[in-house]
Amino acid sequence: MERIRKAALQLRRNRRQLRQAKGLSQFEAMDENYVALDDESVFDGVDATPEELVLYRESQYQRERAKVALLTKWALSGLATEMTMHEANGLLSTLRGNADRLAEKFPEDIDCKWLGWAARRLDDNFSFLTRFKASGYGYQVGPEKILQQIKFEFGQAIGRGDLVVEPTEAFLKSDFRGEERAMYSVFINLVRNSYQWSSRAGNKTAVVRLDAKTIEYMGEEWDEETDTTRPALKREDFIVVEDNGPGVSPGMGDSIFEPSISGRGSAGIGLHLCRAVLEASADTVVLSDEKSDLGGAIFHVGRHSLLRPDSARTKRTEEPREKELAEALESMAELVRDGFNAEAADLSDVYEEAAGLAMRIRLRGAGSSLDERLLEALDAFDDVLRGTRPISAPKPPTP
């Protein structure tokens, strides 16, 4: 690549000199057409074939197109942010001002103090709209980060002794890696299921063990001497999550990952979403046929081609985005109604996208029944959200 890069620079230098000799402008962009100079000396000192130069320029062009696409995406995000915050800041300012005036008028009233605290907290929560955020997709995390997030999520239960998370040495030393948001949402869901099932089984302390195992398989590796691939024995880690719950009912098998399949009266969407989000990035989660020596179920998380080699990955739907978002919001509302707040919170980016699209629909007008359905689904979810109390109440504000 360095050879071709230098060759391209030499070609540009030769063209510039020839253009100067012919009395042409030094800035080729000023020409209406890019035409050849019909002079073979343009290739003097150029250590590359014309085909290599064309492919090099095409590669550069594709990279620049990707950059333009990313910058366009950021620009649109910035525009949506400015439009949203213009409205949100006005409402927040009114809310804060009224809360402060009420606090001055009724300095001993605890409700006024709570209102002021809530206004400030809401302002803090919305502050994310004033800066760009990375989507999180593409950033890989391993066992240490996954364990750290689990301990943060279940800190209270672990502190009370209601939950014990046991990472094995194999887990901590595993080479397993996965996309950050997918890994956090999947493992938190699996641990929460284990915690709830173990409690239902009457265990005073729920135990979740995080382990890792290695699969050996025949793959390919590159042979530098022959510039070809050759068969090679490869090894890859996958994660094992097991618990001391009652286990999964016999015969459920792979059906446990189907939507609306639940053994504890929940929305039955958690495991389905876990598999879907993993398979979007070539990973998956499966239920082991074996039972854990702890007494409960065993789940494996790893590469789809190794854990489910005979099954097709979950396909992404071709349905209109408005319909997808409306259905997602309806499912999220059901999660919140059933008390599964953490699962719904992990899907906050879905709400963010739906709210942005709904804002454009309201400003420009609904053009179809799908637009109307999305607006109704968003309003219904907002109603459910406003009536939801936090799982852990904050400390009362001090005067």
Side-chain angles (χ1 to χ4, degrees), residues 213-224:
K213 293 184 179 180
T214 302
I215 293 180
E216 290 188 346
Y217 65 99
M218 287 303 300
E220 293 182 340
E221 66 181 10
W222 185 255
D223 188 337
E224 296 287 349

Side-chain angles (χ1 to χ4, degrees), residues 29 57 67 84 108 157 161 186 215 251 310 338 373 394:
R57 289 303 184 194
K67 290 180 183 178
T84 303
E108 301 301 324
V186 166
I215 293 180
D310 300 325
D338 291 342
R373 181 182 174 184

Side-chain angles (χ1 to χ4, degrees), residues 69-284:
L70 181 60
L71 290 173
T72 302
K73 179 180 179 181
W74 286 351
L76 292 174
S77 298
L79 177 61
T81 298
E82 289 297 327
M83 293 173 67
T84 303
M85 286 309 298
H86 176 74
E87 300 297 330
N89 278 331
L91 296 174
L92 287 171
S93 177
T94 301
L95 182 60
R96 289 194 306 269
N98 288 335
D100 290 341
R101 283 189 290 274
L102 280 173
E104 292 176 0
K105 189 174 182 179
F106 306 103
E108 301 301 324
D109 189 286
I110 189 64
D111 290 332
C112 291
K113 295 172 185 176
W114 268 107
L115 179 61
W117 174 88
R120 291 189 296 272
R121 182 64 179 271
L122 186 61
D123 196 16
D124 291 339
N125 289 344
F126 269 86
S127 66
F128 76 90
L129 287 174
T130 62
R131 61 178 183 273
F132 284 111
K133 300 187 303 173
S135 69
Y137 286 118
Y139 180 66
Q140 302 285 303
V141 295
E144 185 177 347
K145 289 289 186 180
I146 293 172
L147 179 61
Q148 181 180 341
Q149 190 68 18
I150 290 173
K151 289 182 176 179
F152 174 79
E153 183 74 17
F154 299 96
Q156 291 186 354
I158 293 174
R160 292 193 305 264
D162 296 337
L163 172 65
V164 173
V165 179
E166 297 180 348
T168 66
E169 185 176 356
F171 171 80
L172 295 174
K173 292 184 177 180
S174 168
D175 292 331
F176 177 83
R177 294 291 184 277
E179 190 277 320
E180 181 183 34
R181 287 199 302 179
M183 292 301 105
Y184 289 166
S185 61
V186 166
F187 281 97
I188 285 173
N189 189 280
L190 290 175
V191 172
R192 179 174 289 106
N193 283 349
S194 296
Y195 178 29
Q196 292 175 344
W197 274 112
S198 181
S199 299
R200 283 194 171 198
N203 295 322
K204 184 177 180 180
T205 300
V207 179
V208 179
R209 180 186 298 157
L210 302 175
D211 198 4
K213 293 184 179 180
T214 302
I215 293 180
E216 290 188 346
Y217 65 99
M218 287 303 300
E220 293 182 340
E221 66 181 10
W222 185 255
D223 188 337
E224 296 287 349
E225 295 182 0
T226 62
D227 286 341
T228 59
T229 59
R230 62 184 180 189
L233 183 64
K234 290 184 170 291
R235 297 163 57 89
E236 187 158 337
D237 293 341
F238 66 93
I239 301 302
V240 180
V241 181
E242 48 189 322
D243 58 58
N244 65 338
V248 178
S249 300
M252 292 197 71
D254 215 45
S255 66
I256 196 172
F257 297 99
E258 294 297 321
S260 303
I261 299 297
S262 173
R264 55 183 172 87
S266 67
I269 198 173
L271 288 176
H272 173 72
L273 290 176
C274 283
R275 173 170 280 185
V277 74
L278 285 170
E279 295 194 353
S281 56
D283 290 318
T284 193

Side-chain angles (χ1 to χ4, degrees), residues 15-25 28 31 37:
R15 280 185 58 83
R16 188 164 56 248
Q17 292 173 353
L18 285 173
R19 289 177 66 84
Q20 185 177 9
K22 293 175 180 291
L24 300 174
S25 169
E28 296 186 43
D31 292 345
L37 297 176

Side-chain angles (χ1 to χ4, degrees), residues 12 39 50 68 132 136 172 206 209 212 238 278 288 299 318 349:
R12 289 181 60 189
D39 193 325
V68 170
F132 284 111
L172 295 174
R209 180 186 298 157
F238 66 93
L278 285 170
S288 173
F299 289 90
E318 298 290 338
D349 58 318

